Amino acid sequence: MSRNTAFLFLFTVVCAVSLAACQPATPAEPTPAPAMESTAPATSDTTESTHTLAPGEQMVSVETSYMSPGGEEQVGFTLFVDEEGVITAAETNVLGKSPTTVMRQKSFAAELPTVVTGKKLSELSDVDRVGGSSLTTGAFNKALTELKAQL
Amino acid sequence: MQSYSFKALGTAWSISIDQAAFISDTFWQKVVDTTSLFEQRFSRFIDTSESRAFAEAKAGTYPVSAEMTRLLVAADKLRQLTKGQYDPAIGSLLEAAGYNKSYTLKPNEQYIKEWQLPNWQIDAKNLQVTIDRPLVFDFGGIGKGYWIDQLSQLLIDSDFPFHIIEGGGDMMATSKQNGQGWRVAIEYPGKPEMALGLSVLKNQGFAASDMFRRRWGSWHHFIDHQKKSSQNHILGCAVIAPNAWQADQATSILSLTDPAQATQLVNQLGVEYLVVGNDDLIRRSSHWPGQLF
């Protein structure tokens, strides 16, 4: 098992267990352990991703299944690993069928954090606008400067 | 491509139209005049505005305009969704904290200590608002998002369907004439020279907010009225939605409520979002459209 594959396997187990644990427990049927039948990793270039591959970085994706109170559900994960084997990003691919599962997978996906270093605005080309928080008014900044001068 | 810029509602506005058609100065003046009228009517910084109409009023029921009703109905929905964390009735608390038309930026501690959140109800059918004490409405970003969409409609009605309208970093974009979307870099919260990502907007609205702008002392413009202090859950957030108004409403939720609760609420709205946490890590919705750097 290559190092990347080992990473992905471990990551998938952790995520699938977490997702299964997110399901509301029913007294009659305790939350079953996730089924891990299809964890064979596959490199993929078709997965929708917001992460841009850096030179030397690899992307690996996997789909797996787990048991929810509503039946078996699918979920996918994508890992980005750099040349030194460091995971640089992880993404959840929402594949759930039932609306509740989709909502939970979406929430789970949103909680998977990403490290973003940013890029200088001046390095971007063909940008029509820069979206950001509201620019402060001249009056506000002037008042702030005056206030600081009084301190 | 024809572009026009102006200042209104305390910020910079710019409009680009991707058409070769002649655009008269009269048309641009109409854009500026209607925006100025909207500001006169709804800015809490203007004494005669409807947002300040109840600043000295006694408890009671008062008539409001149809447009004020529309804004208050949306604000009421947000108030319910966030269990009161969003409430436009905080206008006088913001003023007491120093964010007022004179920009004193000096908190009035005694007033803040005694301040109580005014209660209000909107009767959309009869265009009436009922208040329990004097109050000043501050809609925050949602007033701006509402107006961006109104301007977009004005452009469509004037046969300029291919446009992008930006008001202080929030925007509404239709498409370019060739059917492509508009490329928008997303500013990194607190780092104005940096972009954290790039998205293409096509018939979509965008809004962002951060905790770095409009900051004075320990305050900034997102207020926790229960603690009477500014919120510090996140560094910033960005939202892409079907229009600017919805995008602004979602950024209000993300900025004001606890992050775990906020993302659930925003998922229900069906918009896509990015949140930059206090740890500088980015959390984003599962179908965020665009690249991150």
Side-chain angles (χ1 to χ4, degrees):
Chain A
M1 189 181 279
S2 76
R3 190 163 51 168
N4 288 357
T5 311
F7 270 137
L8 187 63
F9 181 77
L10 183 65
F11 178 79
T12 309
V13 170
V14 171
C15 291
V17 168
S18 307
L19 258 174
C22 283
Q23 307 298 329
T26 50
E29 263 181 80
T31 309
M36 300 296 299
E37 294 121 8
S38 53
T39 50
T43 50
S44 163
D45 53 9
T46 54
T47 312
E48 268 185 55
S49 172
T50 54
H51 184 85
T52 314
L53 274 181
E57 204 174 40
Q58 281 185 51
M59 179 174 90
V60 275
S61 296
V62 68
E63 288 177 14
T64 188
S65 59
Y66 63 98
M67 290 303 292
S68 80
E72 189 172 296
E73 289 284 6
Q74 296 286 122
V75 66
F77 300 105
T78 302
L79 279 191
F80 297 86
V81 185
D82 73 10
E83 283 168 323
E84 294 177 355
V86 176
I87 297 173
T88 48
E91 293 177 353
T92 306
N93 309 317
V94 176
L95 304 170
K97 288 180 293 212
S98 80
T100 308
T101 300
V102 169
M103 195 188 84
R104 287 183 187 283
Q105 288 187 3
K106 279 185 172 182
S107 295
F108 184 85
E111 291 310 311
L112 255 184
T114 308
V115 178
V116 171
T117 47
K119 209 177 229 187
K120 279 191 177 168
L121 280 169
S122 54
E123 291 171 8
L124 300 175
S125 58
D126 297 331
V127 169
D128 293 305
R129 283 290 186 288
V130 177
S133 68
S134 179
L135 295 167
T136 47
T137 59
F140 185 94
N141 286 337
K142 188 166 167 271
L144 201 60
T145 311
E146 283 170 8
L147 203 66
K148 279 178 183 164
Q150 290 171 31
L151 295 174
Chain B
M1 186 77 67
Q2 303 178 68
S3 297
Y4 187 78
S5 301
F6 60 102
K7 292 225 160 122
L9 290 160
T11 194
W13 291 69
S14 76
I15 298 175
S16 291
I17 296 177
D18 186 28
Q19 280 166 264
F22 171 73
I23 305 171
S24 67
D25 288 346
T26 318
F27 176 76
W28 291 125
Q29 196 55 48
K30 186 178 171 187
V31 168
V32 174
D33 289 347
T34 52
T35 306
S36 172
L37 186 62
F38 180 76
E39 181 171 7
Q40 294 290 326
R41 289 180 61 200
F42 298 108
S43 168
R44 80 169 162 86
F45 292 90
I46 291 174
D47 283 338
T48 52
S49 75
E50 219 172 337
S51 299
R52 288 198 73 84
F54 314 106
E56 313 281 332
K58 290 180 185 157
T61 298
Y62 300 92
V64 282
S65 69
E67 204 157 27
M68 183 69 167
T69 302
R70 231 180 136 191
L71 287 164
L72 284 174
V73 165
D76 190 32
K77 277 188 194 153
L78 262 188
R79 177 171 65 164
Q80 289 175 33
L81 207 57
T82 61
K83 296 192 169 63
Q85 294 274 23
Y86 172 87
D87 197 321
I90 61 157
S92 54
L93 179 61
L94 275 168
E95 290 181 351
Y99 192 20
N100 45 41
K101 64 175 179 171
S102 313
Y103 291 102
T104 58
L105 306 182
K106 283 183 182 171
N108 179 340
E109 301 295 349
Q110 188 60 31
Y111 183 95
I112 292 169
K113 204 173 153 195
E114 290 166 8
W115 185 85
Q116 286 186 299
L117 180 69
N119 195 5
W120 58 275
Q121 282 92 39
I122 179 70
D123 175 353
K125 198 175 155 200
N126 297 308
L127 306 185
Q128 287 178 332
V129 68
T130 300
I131 58 173
D132 72 340
R133 68 191 69 211
L135 64 75
V136 175
F137 286 115
D138 182 290
F139 291 104
I142 78 163
K144 191 169 64 177
Y146 170 82
W147 188 248
I148 290 171
D149 290 345
Q150 295 296 307
L151 283 183
S152 178
Q153 193 56 52
L154 171 69
L155 263 67
I156 290 168
D157 294 344
S158 307
D159 290 327
F160 301 123
F162 307 109
H163 60 255
I164 185 166
I165 299 170
E166 184 212 343
D170 295 350
M171 51 197 94
M172 176 68 206
T174 58
S175 71
K176 292 183 179 172
Q177 202 159 17
N178 62 9
Q180 290 186 344
W182 299 80
R183 285 163 60 85
V184 172
I186 300 160
E187 188 186 298
Y188 203 112
K191 300 176 188 171
E193 304 301 313
M194 301 287 285
L196 63 78
L198 186 72
S199 291
V200 177
L201 298 184
K202 189 175 170 186
N203 299 317
Q204 285 167 313
F206 172 91
S209 70
D210 75 29
M211 308 303 149
F212 295 93
R213 298 255 168 79
R214 295 179 201 265
R215 182 176 266 284
W216 67 103
S218 62
W219 292 80
H220 57 73
H221 64 301
F222 283 106
I223 300 283
D224 181 336
H225 61 76
Q226 283 151 7
K227 292 184 193 154
K228 296 181 182 175
S229 62
S230 284
Q231 291 282 19
N232 289 300
H233 294 314
I234 59 172
L235 294 185
C237 59
V239 172
I240 293 178
N243 57 48
W245 202 18
Q246 285 180 30
D248 267 318
Q249 291 178 33
T251 57
S252 293
I253 294 174
L254 290 167
S255 302
L256 287 166
T257 49
D258 167 69
Q261 187 200 356
T263 47
Q264 279 199 356
L265 288 174
V266 174
N267 276 332
Q268 289 172 27
L269 294 181
V271 303
E272 301 298 332
Y273 61 89
L274 277 179
V275 172
V276 185
N278 285 328
D279 47 11
D280 255 325
L281 290 174
I282 308 257
R283 289 169 173 81
R284 68 193 184 294
S285 57
S286 50
H287 293 99
W288 173 260
Q291 292 175 271
L292 299 178
F293 302 127

